[in-house]
Amino acid sequence: MSNDELQKLAQEYNNMAEEGAAMWKDLEKYAVRMKEILKIIDEEKPGCYDEIGLLFGCKLDLDL
């Protein structure tokens, strides 16, 4: 590989690192809000959803 090709790869890596850092900040906000939502639901209607399913990526489905 030429030096230019290697520099392009390095730039691609750096761009991805920047994008990843921005996505991580968003994910942290999402996680905080999702925990808040579950806490509110637990206070209002304890046991109305499957906690195990959430661990495996299921959507929040309420049994009201």
Side-chain angles (χ1 to χ4, degrees), residues 37-53:
I37 290 169
L38 291 177
K39 183 178 178 184
I40 293 167
I41 292 170
D42 284 338
E43 289 171 356
E44 293 293 320
K45 286 273 192 182
C48 71
Y49 63 92
D50 180 12
E51 295 178 36
I52 303 299

Side-chain angles (χ1 to χ4, degrees), residues 5-61:
E5 291 171 319
L6 292 172
Q7 287 296 344
K8 285 180 184 177
L9 287 175
Q11 185 60 48
E12 180 182 357
Y13 178 95
N14 292 334
N15 291 343
M16 293 175 83
E18 284 182 34
E19 288 177 34
M23 287 191 312
W24 186 258
K25 286 181 182 179
D26 287 340
L27 288 173
E28 287 178 321
K29 292 175 194 173
Y30 296 157
V32 167
R33 181 62 183 146
M34 291 167 78
K35 287 178 185 178
E36 290 172 351
I37 290 169
L38 291 177
K39 183 178 178 184
I40 293 167
I41 292 170
D42 284 338
E43 289 171 356
E44 293 293 320
K45 286 273 192 182
C48 71
Y49 63 92
D50 180 12
E51 295 178 36
I52 303 299
L54 296 179
L55 293 173
F56 292 100
C58 296
K59 290 187 176 187
L60 180 60
D61 185 26

